[in-house]
Amino acid sequence: MEDILAKLIFLLATSQFVLCDPYYENSTGLQSSRDSKFIFTVIQFSNDICFSPKNESGICYSTSECSEKGEPMGKCAGGFGECCRVALTGCGGDVRLNNTMAYSPNWPGTYNEAMTCTYKVYFAEKPEPPAGICQLRFDYTAMDLVAPSNKGVCENDRLIFENDEKSTYFCGKAPDNYHWYVETVGTNSPHTFTITTDSTNYERKYGIRVSYIPCEQGVPTKCGNYYMGTSGEFISYNY
Ligand SMILES: *[C@@H]1O[C@H](CO)[C@@H](O)[C@H](O)[C@H]1NC(C)=O
Ligand SMILES: *[C@@H]1O[C@H](CO)[C@@H](O)[C@H](O)[C@H]1NC(C)=O
Ligand SMILES: *[C@@H]1O[C@H](CO)[C@@H](O)[C@H](O)[C@H]1NC(C)=O
């Protein structure tokens, strides 16, 4: 009995020694093992919109996700995430992630060329409301195309939301922080928007953030510019 107890104490002492050894020998090691446990079990954040120190809009991802999807621009989620620049640069492309930016050719500079830039926005057609996506929202961080003619017609450049029943086309310069909603319910993915420019001499520029609006966050249908309350066949938003 005494023998067994002695062995048990020895075992306990041994396992305790083994368990504690790395902690006491290397406090740096302890810190890092605790940190990694902490990250895997506790820290979770949603892939929300974030802004870089220069106020460029990005998506909050882990460092490894960001290296696959974009470029890091600074921290987010209290320092645990990377504010990731997920952007289409050049002319056209596919949008599949919420808050993707579409930048004009030569961004942040201007371009002065006849081009047709086509963007396809893919979304899940199902589930249907209330669980799904009901609208796409386009936020312009910049929008400067050739202005409409005296008759108010976009004869040169055009921005067209091809699946939008409320608008035909836009051109000219948008006010700061302009936005436009397009319905997705009952339509097919993808939705296409196109920026067509002609050979008119003009320094153009656009930056458009695309966001997927869940049905419960949706604005009343047929409202393009909800907060400013303007909608119609053709919108002149030039000033
Ligand atoms: C302690 O552990 C860290 C990594 O966990 C290692 O870089 C460092 O060299 C170790 N220090 C000692 C004194 O063993
Ligand atoms: C950053 O941009 C957003 C819109 O994209 C705007 O609401 C916000 O005020 C800007 N912040 C700064 C510090 O400029
Ligand atoms: C997309 O991002 C916006 C924030 O810009 C957010 O309000 C919305 O819920 C997000 N959509 C989805 C489907 O997560």
Side-chain angles (χ1 to χ4, degrees):
M1 184 65 192
E2 270 175 10
D3 211 11
I4 292 168
L5 202 60
K7 272 182 186 160
L8 202 61
I9 288 165
F10 176 73
L11 269 176
L12 280 174
T14 308
S15 58
Q16 197 174 18
F17 172 74
V18 169
L19 194 69
C20 294
D21 181 41
Y23 295 177
Y24 290 118
E25 254 186 35
N26 188 343
S27 60
T28 317
L30 170 64
Q31 194 62 42
S32 67
S33 76
R34 263 192 190 160
D35 271 357
S36 54
K37 193 178 171 208
F38 195 55
I39 287 164
F40 289 122
T41 58
V42 179
I43 297 297
Q44 286 182 334
F45 51 87
S46 50
N47 301 125
D48 286 338
I49 189 170
C50 55
F51 293 93
S52 77
K54 287 183 187 165
N55 208 22
E56 260 193 276
S57 117
I59 307 174
C60 195
Y61 280 126
S62 68
T63 305
S64 59
E65 271 183 305
C66 182
S67 64
E68 286 167 29
K69 291 171 177 157
E71 297 158 40
M73 299 191 294
K75 292 290 172 189
C76 54
F80 288 99
E82 196 68 67
C83 188
C84 201
R85 184 179 193 260
V86 178
L88 297 169
T89 52
C91 179
D94 292 349
V95 175
R96 294 177 191 275
L97 299 172
N98 196 16
N99 295 312
T100 297
M101 290 296 310
Y103 287 119
S104 48
N106 195 39
W107 178 273
T110 57
Y111 73 111
N112 189 349
E113 265 174 87
M115 289 180 109
T116 298
C117 300
T118 301
Y119 298 87
K120 288 184 191 299
V121 184
Y122 289 85
F123 56 90
E125 288 164 16
K126 302 216 163 149
E128 289 289 324
I133 300 297
C134 277
Q135 284 154 338
L136 299 175
R137 176 176 162 137
F138 300 89
D139 278 274
Y140 306 165
T141 59
M143 179 54 68
D144 193 358
L145 303 173
V146 173
S149 68
N150 294 340
K151 289 174 254 160
V153 178
C154 298
E155 288 177 350
N156 307 105
D157 296 356
R158 287 180 176 188
L159 159 63
I160 298 177
F161 294 103
E162 280 161 28
N163 306 81
D164 186 21
E165 292 175 356
K166 305 180 300 300
S167 66
T168 311
Y169 44 69
F170 297 82
C171 61
K173 197 168 181 175
D176 288 345
N177 302 315
Y178 196 82
H179 63 258
W180 190 252
Y181 283 96
V182 176
E183 310 300 317
T184 56
V185 179
T187 66
N188 296 323
S189 171
H191 272 205
T192 301
F193 67 97
T194 305
I195 290 127
T196 308
T197 55
D198 72 0
S199 58
T200 307
N201 182 29
Y202 191 76
E203 299 297 329
R204 297 141 171 108
K205 188 175 190 170
Y206 60 85
I208 303 173
R209 185 173 62 243
V210 183
S211 50
Y212 295 90
I213 304 301
C215 297
E216 73 268 14
Q217 285 178 20
V219 301
T221 56
K222 310 291 177 210
C223 290
N225 191 294
Y226 182 58
Y227 300 104
M228 292 173 70
T230 56
S231 69
E233 257 273 284
F234 165 71
I235 317 297
S236 173
Y237 53 90
N238 297 286
Y239 56 88

